[in-house]
Amino acid sequence: MRIQHFLLSLVAIVVGWGCHSQRQMEANGAIELNFWNGFSGPDGAEMEKLVKKFNLDNQGKIKVRMQIIPWGTYYDKVTLGLAYGGAPQVFVLHVNRFPEFASHGVLNTFDDLIKDSRFPFEDLAPKAWEAAHWEGKVQAIPLDVHPLGLYYNLDLFAKAGITRPPTTYKEFIEDAKKLTIDKDHDGTPDQWGFAFTWLHSNSLCFLNQFGADLLTPDLKQSGLSTPRAKEAMQRMKDIITAGVCPKPEGQDAWLGFQTGKVAMVLEGVYMVKGLESQEGLRFAGAPVPQFGPEKSVWAGTHMLTMPSSLDPKVRRAGWKFIQFLSANSIIWALGGQVPARKSVVQSPAFQALPVQSEFAKQVEYVHYEPKSIDYNLIATFGDSAFEAILNNSDTIDHALATASRRIDNRLQNK
Amino acid sequence: MKRNQNLAAFLFLLPYLTLFCVFIVGPLVYGFWISLHNWHILGKSIPFVGFDNYSRALKDDLFHLSIVKTAYFVVLTVPLGNLVSLLFAIGLNQNYRGTTLYKACFYLPVVLSISVTSVLWRWLYSSESGLLNYYLGTKVQWLGSPDWAMPSLALMSIWWGAGGNMLVNLAALKSVPTELLEASSLDGASSWAKFRRITWPCIKPAFMFCIVMSIIASSQVFGQSYILTNGGPADSTLTVVLYMYRQGFGMYQLGYASAVAYLLFLLVLTLSMVQIRSLATQMNRY
């Protein structure tokens, strides 16, 4: 056991090499907070502005040092830091990863801080606020709600004589047919009406609109072997067989939208800043059309959290920073987000953001991924099935049955 | 005297031995110990589960699939990669101007890291703006199609690694006795006959060495599938090491990931021993 701790501590030391010790943090009078996140895109610049503003407002008292770690390796570092030392004082978790961390008791609880500071929790989007609870205690503050939405190319829409974005499946297919063009008549369109980009969020959105999910509501078994899940997959496949959408292309599909070869995509609001910097692209955003019988849309949320073991002074400083970020999230919205604070969303400054305000219309009916501590263990099984179905390398029944078997096995043998 | 010599030898070995024990033997033993436990990084307790993780892996259809996909990658890269290396080496063994430049050019990809190589090839493979589709006049989804993804990774890997084996083969070609080749020329032997009867027997051990090393390296393929396809689409590029990585660093199931690592280790060890034995038999023949 000692050797085990020694070796793992060694790893943790390497990981947290840049982190200061608690004592160092208070050496110059000011409490230093390390703030980790994975905002490596344009959103990072907006967060940097917020951190600078906070540091200026709290000069000599609290100093926040932000470290951006790309999401690909972010959770490895956070996990190692929490397990073996070197964790930051404030860090971001995605809503779908929150249960896993909360269930291991590594997150701080905020109930007393909320009460003492009269934090306006009733101003937060209800679903995001509910998601921040674990076993009846608040262990995070939701910073935003980033739903999927429909991005569409205004020039291609105008050329096709379409005046407004589709809102139903019927309208969507009709528009997509008008927008699909085979210029060189070689049988493969050169311009597609629609393309699936990130299959994970796109597929879950379809599943949710058909009343299905990766797990059953009790979170005990797979929810993919249901007739509703099959209907959802069939609807996605129908879009491809209608000839208006290529087989999944991932990054290339997004590139296709950026370069005007794809007219519509379903992507997160966080992609808006990247599109704004794309020269010659005129685009707009709209809520996701109604593909299934239920009004639902996939969404994620960035949760602000703190580790469970913190010095009281540092904890209070961290809480002050979290409150600041939440209250000033209009700046965060500029980076391509929908703030979790209702008052910020209703403000004229936010409503002036064309894409963000359109996507924000969906906040009340967003659907998060299952609030399961095992979600991270089973999510990839669904993704493989969706890829196989839409690439025609497996049937809907077989692919979903395989994914369900893997999910159930994993839930039983974790 | 002999005792002093042994002590001196031991002292000379000591620095390497220390590093070897700390960084190779230690983690090897520790990894095995981890594989006998059910261990989540954030878990408060680490229950001992014996060989449960091994039996779970042996029953896991995704682990089976990852072995099949890894074997597919080995079959795609090892024969073709070694053939390309040999052809390059034969080409560079001729006497013409600029061979040094060609040698450097063919070897250059080897010094690139897999990350750089993958990013480079991602642009080539892009179905929207990739050079490959542009010059071939096709609309193939090189990385997006389950049928094409693994051959695409294999092609990139051959380009990346052919230069290394080329040097080994070239060194072997340089050591072929010239008097034998000259004597056979005088006897009127054709180029093919000279290669088959003289060159090939001389370079065969080196070539077989390259094959063994390529199989070991290809069995542990990771960077290509991690960076370019992340195991997809539809698990078509899910290799054993990527599967192990996902278990360990994606899902934090350290015990299970270590068991998968050990199973791969045993598989590669068995394969290597069979090949080394066959290599030794071949070498004894010449």
Side-chain angles (χ1 to χ4, degrees), chain A residues 388-414:
Chain A
I389 290 166
L390 298 181
N391 276 297
N392 253 344
S393 60
D394 204 350
T395 62
I396 292 177
D397 283 349
H398 187 258
L400 291 182
T402 305
S404 287
R405 179 172 44 79
R406 286 174 182 163
I407 289 171
D408 292 340
N409 277 346
R410 187 46 68 94
L411 291 177
Q412 283 161 18
N413 301 308
K414 53 182 177 171

Side-chain angles (χ1 to χ4, degrees), chain B residues 70-271:
Chain B
T70 307
Y72 181 38
F73 180 81
V74 171
V75 168
L76 285 174
T77 51
V78 174
L80 192 61
N82 280 285
L83 187 67
V84 169
S85 302
L86 183 63
L87 290 176
F88 279 171
I90 291 169
L92 291 172
N93 196 35
Q94 312 303 315
N95 287 324
Y96 53 83
R97 287 180 68 181
T99 46
T100 312
L101 180 71
Y102 285 121
K103 256 183 242 173
C105 288
F106 291 147
Y107 187 72
L108 207 60
V110 178
V111 300
L112 295 177
S113 75
I114 189 61
S115 318
V116 173
T117 310
S118 299
V119 171
L120 202 72
W121 278 75
R122 179 182 282 161
W123 287 106
L124 292 176
Y125 281 141
S126 168
S127 60
E128 286 296 331
S129 56
L131 284 179
L132 214 56
N133 271 348
Y134 178 76
Y135 284 117
L136 295 175
T138 54
K139 290 177 180 173
V140 177
Q141 292 183 10
W142 298 102
L143 300 171
S145 146
D147 298 329
W148 278 107
M150 192 59 103
S152 301
L153 296 193
L155 180 67
M156 185 196 84
S157 306
I158 290 170
W159 177 85
W160 183 49
N165 286 343
M166 176 198 76
L167 281 192
V168 177
N169 285 320
L170 189 61
L173 282 168
K174 295 278 182 208
S175 65
V176 175
T178 46
E179 59 272 23
L180 286 180
L181 293 168
E182 282 165 8
S184 62
S185 293
L186 288 173
D187 290 343
S190 66
S191 299
W192 172 242
K194 280 195 280 182
F195 178 78
R196 205 174 139 219
R197 304 281 178 194
I198 301 166
T199 311
W200 177 243
C202 292
I203 66 167
K204 196 172 178 182
F207 187 74
M208 291 305 289
F209 168 78
C210 289
I211 295 265
V212 174
M213 296 312 283
S214 306
I215 289 176
I216 293 173
S218 293
S219 305
Q220 297 173 59
V221 57
F222 169 69
Q224 293 90 319
S225 51
Y226 177 63
I227 297 169
L228 283 177
T229 56
N230 197 21
D235 295 327
S236 58
T237 56
L238 182 67
T239 60
V240 179
V241 179
L242 179 61
Y243 183 63
M244 179 194 78
Y245 176 82
R246 269 193 196 169
Q247 297 298 320
F249 292 97
M251 304 174 180
Y252 307 123
Q253 301 289 308
L254 297 186
Y256 187 68
S258 300
V260 170
Y262 257 87
L263 288 171
L264 175 67
F265 170 68
L266 290 175
L267 199 71
V268 175
L269 185 73
T270 313
L271 259 175

Side-chain angles (χ1 to χ4, degrees), chain A residues 76 124 132 208 229 324 335 405:
Chain A
D76 297 346
L124 292 167
N208 298 157
F324 172 85
R405 179 172 44 79

